[in-house]
Amino acid sequence: MSIYQEQILDHYKNPRNQGGILKPDKKTIVHNPLCGDSITMYIVFDKNKIKKLTHITTGCVISKASASLLCEYSTKKTKEQLRKLDKGFIIDMLGIKLGPNRVKCALLALEALQKLLI
Amino acid sequence: MFNTTQIKKDFSIFTFSPDLIYLDSTATSLKPKQVIDKITAYYQEYSANIYRGIYDISEKATEEYEKTREAVRLFVNASSSEEVVFTRNTTESINLIMYTLGKQIIHKNDEIAVSIMEHHSNFVPWQILAREKNAKLLIIDIDENGQLDDISKIVTQKTKIFAITYVSNVLGTINPIKKIIKIAKQINPKIIVVVDAAQAAPHIKVDVQDLDCDFLVFSSHKMLGPTGVGVLWGRKILLQKMSPFLYGGEMIQTVSINKTTFKDAPHKFEAGTPHIAGVIGLRASIEYLANIGWENIVLHEKKLIDYALNSFENNFKNKIKILGPRKNHSGIMSFYFDKAHPHDIAQLLNDDNIAVRAGNHCAMPLHNKLNISASVRASFYIYNTFQDVDALVQSLKKAIKIIE
């Protein structure tokens, strides 16, 4: 089965929560030097909850779709809920099977979110 | 004459995966059954250690191992087989030179020259050495066609080591290495020239005496041979002066509590039990290539790359950017599309059983210079066909349609 499923391509071509936030509570940049992917992620909190989470992603289909899906999922969730997210969650969220090299692309967005939640 | 159908029969991988289109020989080549059989024969029939056993199968193993040294001597046209050292791979061969000769001769403010198109294996060791010794690492640039700039702008009388690739593993550029070495030696007659022939040895006839280099290194696994075997050819006079790289078994003459004396080159550089089966297997790959003949190999690859370049330009026009020159081009083609990440391209090609490489191909300085983070690389060898190129083009069209 190809990893380029409809949902993945949809989030790649029409990324949700894309763009910067002028005055975010926090902002972070993560890179994957091997393939040149990079994600800048912006967050606005509402007490313990995520009010707004956006991203600017340059990279492959998987990293972009993953960032789009993760930002969409995370809005309105609590920090505690999001801190529990792991590799398994991301893979389930994408719904595709990834080899060891492409998993890194998928996990880049989670790395950014985790940095924002420290 | 060149018969790819016949050649493919020697590569059992096509029996296991009949639909495989393998376009990543630059990373590692496939292995013919002649090589695999040779390795198996060692393990099945005479799997003894070399040099030490006074019994038949050990003597047979030693003889087979040393016969490969002689085969490599002929392969690179060295004057003596004592100039041939077996290592693990090209990277280890270069590190051996750096750790022994490099550390000995490089001092503060000395210069080491490399090019921007080097593989990390011929870049990082020299960068580390320069930093450690407070020496200067100078970089020869490339022009917009992917050809090397005039080296006399960089190489000076203070340049003690000049490490240069014969063929770029990304651009496919075949450097005019003989001419370059001549210029370098006119500038500084004492300069040590290290030639990285990892991408040359599988594809063109290499002649160390004609090139007039001081060291030339390559890997067995890129030329149909087994992984885990590399070659270091060095001038005898230099190898004799160099201290050993690794210490231990096999490389010694005498050991007492206070002192150890070493064997002569090449054995002083081959500490411990080597990859005996691998070295013996390398001879089978040299014989295989010799049977096909360099002229045939060069012509076949040229036909394929010319066909591929034309086909790409016709089908993708200005959507695609192909790296490297159009002339003096080996069977390597790297490219990228503005709107599709190389990883996605490679992944989608894989869905059609096409194996290409995507990434920076261990050449980050070059990719930085080209202002890209990654590229797709297709490379051709003796088992590739025009049909493979057609399949690549069709699959690329499909991939772009999905991503764009």
Side-chain angles (χ1 to χ4, degrees):
Chain A
M1 188 183 79
S2 169
I3 63 170
Y4 297 89
Q5 298 300 303
E6 210 174 309
Q7 182 201 221
I8 303 287
L9 288 169
D10 178 40
H11 275 268
Y12 169 72
K13 289 177 185 173
N14 312 295
R16 326 292 198 265
N17 298 39
Q18 188 182 232
I21 296 175
L22 211 56
K23 283 181 184 166
D25 289 331
K26 229 174 165 184
K27 174 187 155 183
T28 190
I29 306 176
V30 290
H31 298 278
N32 180 352
L34 280 178
C35 50
D37 290 353
S38 85
I39 299 178
T40 312
M41 211 175 258
Y42 304 79
I43 200 161
V44 178
F45 297 108
D46 179 11
K47 289 178 194 147
N48 202 33
K49 280 191 175 171
I50 310 316
K51 192 177 174 190
K52 217 174 171 192
L53 180 66
T54 67
H55 66 101
I56 297 174
T57 305
T58 55
C60 65
V61 170
I62 302 305
S63 63
K64 277 192 173 175
S66 177
S68 171
L69 280 157
L70 184 64
C71 285
E72 193 180 54
Y73 171 85
S74 302
T75 312
K76 307 252 160 63
K77 299 278 190 304
T78 65
K79 289 181 187 175
E80 286 71 37
Q81 281 174 306
L82 296 181
R83 282 199 186 106
K84 285 180 195 151
L85 302 186
D86 59 4
K87 182 177 163 184
F89 169 82
I90 297 290
I91 289 170
D92 288 347
M93 175 185 80
L94 292 167
I96 50 176
K97 219 177 141 229
L98 290 170
N101 294 325
R102 294 315 291 282
V103 161
K104 290 174 198 153
C105 310
L107 294 179
L108 198 60
L110 180 64
E111 188 190 327
L113 178 62
Q114 282 168 341
K115 277 174 79 179
L116 291 175
L117 294 175
I118 293 170
Chain B
M1 207 28 234
F2 212 86
N3 185 341
T4 321
T5 316
Q6 205 56 43
I7 285 172
K8 279 183 97 159
K9 283 183 188 157
D10 289 332
F11 292 80
S12 0
I13 201 157
F14 294 116
T15 313
F16 287 94
S17 313
D19 298 327
L20 173 68
I21 296 175
Y22 189 74
L23 301 177
D24 198 18
S25 297
T26 298
T28 194
S29 72
L30 301 176
K31 326 296 177 203
K33 67 176 191 294
Q34 288 83 343
V35 169
I36 298 165
D37 288 349
K38 192 86 189 170
I39 296 165
T40 308
Y42 164 74
Y43 285 124
Q44 285 184 339
E45 295 164 26
Y46 57 99
S47 88
N49 214 325
I50 51 173
Y51 305 132
R52 41 194 110 166
I54 313 293
Y55 46 86
D56 285 356
I57 57 168
S58 173
E59 278 171 2
K60 159 98 170 157
T62 307
E63 193 187 316
E64 290 285 332
Y65 185 90
E66 286 303 323
K67 262 159 96 178
T68 305
R69 206 186 298 279
E70 173 61 16
V72 172
R73 179 193 77 75
L74 277 166
F75 183 74
V76 298
N77 191 33
S79 55
S80 160
S81 63
E82 289 169 11
E83 297 184 325
V84 175
V85 179
F86 292 117
T87 62
R88 281 191 307 143
N89 45 40
T90 302
T91 300
E92 188 175 273
S93 295
I94 295 168
N95 273 275
L96 190 157
I97 304 166
M98 186 277 266
Y99 273 101
T100 56
L101 187 77
K103 289 206 178 204
Q104 212 179 321
I105 66 167
I106 295 294
H107 305 290
K108 198 178 173 182
N109 292 330
D110 283 343
E111 291 170 5
I112 302 169
V114 297
S115 86
I116 194 76
M117 65 167 84
E118 299 311 311
H119 186 285
H120 294 159
S121 62
N122 200 29
F123 192 94
V124 181
W126 306 118
Q127 185 187 54
I128 298 296
L129 177 65
R131 193 184 304 161
E132 191 184 302
K133 299 281 186 176
N134 274 318
K136 290 178 198 151
L137 182 73
L138 301 173
I139 318 286
I140 299 159
D141 209 346
I142 50 169
D143 65 16
E144 63 276 16
N145 295 319
Q147 306 270 21
L148 210 60
D149 274 355
D150 178 7
I151 69 148
S152 60
K153 285 193 268 181
I154 296 292
V155 174
T156 71
Q157 284 176 324
K158 283 167 85 179
T159 311
K160 285 196 172 166
I161 294 175
F162 175 28
I164 181 78
T165 190
Y166 202 144
V167 174
S168 160
N169 73 317
V170 178
L171 305 166
T173 314
I174 303 171
N175 286 321
I177 208 84
K178 186 179 173 181
K179 200 177 101 192
I180 290 172
I181 293 170
K182 201 174 164 195
I183 297 168
K185 296 208 164 178
Q186 274 164 1
I187 297 168
N188 175 13
K190 284 187 181 164
I191 199 166
I192 301 289
V193 181
V194 179
V195 176
D196 172 0
Q199 300 300 344
H203 307 283
I204 48 183
K205 173 70 191 154
V206 168
D207 185 328
V208 294
Q209 295 189 71
D210 183 52
L211 293 179
D212 196 29
C213 51
D214 299 292
F215 293 98
L216 184 133
V217 297
F218 55 95
S219 293
S220 149
H221 72 95
K222 293 189 200 288
M223 46 177 283
L224 311 179
T227 57
V229 177
V231 169
L232 161 66
W233 170 84
R235 273 184 206 283
K236 200 171 177 180
I237 187 159
L238 291 169
L239 292 178
Q240 279 169 341
K241 275 193 232 163
M242 283 151 64
S243 52
F245 177 39
L246 299 170
Y247 298 91
E250 293 289 11
M251 49 80 67
I252 55 88
Q253 215 161 34
T254 60
V255 180
S256 65
I257 288 172
N258 296 319
K259 195 174 178 257
T260 296
T261 58
F262 308 114
K263 282 183 181 166
D264 290 330
H267 303 289
K268 73 173 172 188
F269 297 110
E270 293 176 8
T273 298
H275 185 5
I276 303 169
V279 168
I280 293 170
L282 169 62
R283 197 169 84 247
S285 78
I286 290 173
E287 284 165 3
Y288 191 92
L289 289 169
N291 273 335
I292 298 178
W294 287 117
E295 274 181 33
N296 292 325
I297 294 169
V298 169
L299 188 67
H300 177 70
E301 288 180 18
K302 187 175 165 18
K303 279 184 186 167
L304 280 175
I305 195 77
D306 287 349
Y307 181 72
L309 285 167
N310 273 329
S311 181
F312 269 53
E313 278 166 355
N314 290 335
N315 281 285
F316 304 112
K317 309 227 155 52
N318 50 12
K319 266 191 176 178
I320 198 170
K321 177 87 182 82
I322 302 170
L323 309 176
R326 293 294 175 273
K327 280 184 186 171
N328 299 326
H329 203 294
S330 88
I332 298 170
M333 192 166 77
S334 297
F335 54 90
Y336 63 91
F337 296 91
D338 279 336
K339 288 183 184 161
H341 195 282
H343 279 184
D344 292 316
I345 297 275
Q347 188 96 52
L348 283 159
L349 292 179
N350 178 58
D351 291 346
D352 287 337
N353 296 309
I354 299 175
V356 295
R357 175 89 181 260
N360 57 51
H361 324 306
C362 299
M364 277 175 107
L366 176 64
H367 278 78
N368 286 339
K369 145 93 195 167
L370 298 169
N371 254 323
I372 50 174
S373 57
S375 59
V376 184
R377 181 183 69 195
S379 49
F380 306 107
Y381 207 14
I382 53 172
Y383 31 69
N384 291 119
T385 62
F386 292 109
Q387 287 85 343
D388 291 350
V389 177
D390 293 340
L392 172 65
V393 169
Q394 289 315 313
S395 187
L396 277 172
K397 280 185 177 172
K398 215 166 92 185
I400 292 162
K401 217 170 169 183
I402 291 171
I403 297 173
E404 278 190 5

